[in-house]
Amino acid sequence: MLKNIALIAVSALALAACQDQANGGGAGSRDQIKAVGSSTVYPFTTIVAEQFVNKNPGMKAPVIESTGTGAGMKLFCAGIGAAHPDIEDASRRMKASEYASCKANGVTDIIEIQVGLDGVAFAEGKDGPKLQLTPADLYKALAANPEGRPNAYKTWKQVNPALPAIPIQVYGPPSTSGTRDALTELILDKGCAEVTPSVKALKDSDKDAYAAACNRIREDGAYIDAGENDNLIVQKLQSNPNAIGIFGYSYLEENIDHLNGVPLNGIEPTYETIAQNKYPGSRPLYLYVKKAHLAAIPGLQKFLDEYVTAWNPGGPLTAKGLIASPEDVRTSSAAIVKASTLLDPSKLK
């Protein structure tokens, strides 16, 4: 579901001359920065947008849309110019297939910036059953075909006799979400390997068979697609104490008075466990920026510079729930912003 930043209403992108200037020629430009992508990164980019406006009162407020990482990549990669976003917020790294799509549409010079860390957090209401789960439990509960059979598990106790006999009800992100991708890669993959070790061989030899066995999520109602509105998941958990929600850690921290984090392998999702990479769902967060737009879009470079000042420990983004990257990563990311260093597509998977 699209959520436009509340700073201002979206204005028409009437200055098509951005296409010319973005490609190195012509005059004029779109007069607003536009970002799309991850619902997890959305609140952080919104904070940076607010600071950008406060420090640059003559500039129009950026337009930030929460579309999900996958849907945002499609918009970002569709082309260069005023009709296309400048920035993609991403809760996972760009895929090689997405870069190929960008390249096919003339989007070749892309800057990749790691802005911080996050965790794929599992949570329940304060009155919830205090579940303690493992990746294997979650794989058996959520996969469409655990152990090669259609999923027939109805309760957590059927998944693991040590768990309570309550229905499996999990509110989570849609297939277009980077959080959904991270769920499959960081949690379900591990659980699948624990439950069915023989399936590891399929990962390279038969990717479709591997995805069917390990990554496909059940569609019989136990897993409820909550769209790109993570606040809706929070509301559902407050009204349904036996349900579990999946979202970025920042939403758990922001609502910690109403929710409990669900430990994985005995490790609770906290700032410290994610920063130290102890929590199984830890992941980096990214911005992708079109280098061609830096000269064409007023304030875009200043916006990126503002992000650099905001992502440090104790800064406004960590106050909102972002986990600061290690110092060496922050230094590297700041250097990338300063030099407009391009992404090396050979490192993408």
Side-chain angles (χ1 to χ4, degrees), residues 23-67:
N23 286 317
S29 65
R30 175 168 23 92
D31 57 356
Q32 289 172 292
I33 297 165
K34 183 174 181 180
V36 297
S38 166
S39 63
T40 299
V41 184
Y42 170 84
F44 307 131
T45 301
T46 299
I47 290 171
V48 174
E50 291 170 349
Q51 294 196 163
F52 171 79
V53 170
N54 289 338
K55 293 181 180 180
N56 299 276
M59 303 292 298
K60 285 192 174 183
V63 178
I64 319 296
E65 295 182 7
S66 174
T67 63

Side-chain angles (χ1 to χ4, degrees), residues 5 28 46 85 111 127 144 146 166 247 253 288:
I5 186 172
T46 299
I111 304 166
D127 297 327
I166 58 175
F247 36 53
E253 183 178 77
Y288 290 92

Side-chain angles (χ1 to χ4, degrees), residues 188-273:
L188 298 189
D189 270 9
K190 292 177 183 177
C192 184
E194 292 173 17
V195 174
T196 316
S198 60
V199 82
K200 288 182 180 179
L202 293 175
K203 195 162 189 177
D204 294 321
S205 63
D206 192 339
K207 292 184 178 181
D208 289 340
Y210 180 84
C214 296
N215 298 153
R216 192 167 298 154
I217 291 180
R218 65 194 298 182
E219 298 178 349
D220 60 353
Y223 180 91
I224 302 104
D225 180 337
E228 292 291 350
N229 187 348
D230 294 330
N231 286 314
L232 177 62
I233 299 178
V234 173
Q235 295 169 16
K236 292 290 186 181
L237 298 184
Q238 290 177 270
S239 62
N240 185 351
N242 286 333
I244 288 178
I246 306 172
F247 36 53
Y249 167 75
S250 64
Y251 287 89
L252 172 60
E253 183 178 77
E254 189 176 347
N255 295 279
I256 200 64
D257 291 340
H258 308 290
L259 303 176
N260 294 322
V262 174
L264 296 184
N265 290 340
I267 301 171
E268 294 189 12
T270 67
Y271 187 103
E272 291 74 19
T273 60

Side-chain angles (χ1 to χ4, degrees), residues 311-313 324-334:
W311 67 37
N312 291 314
S325 297
E327 185 176 1
D328 60 329
V329 175
R330 298 197 309 272
T331 299
S332 174
S333 293

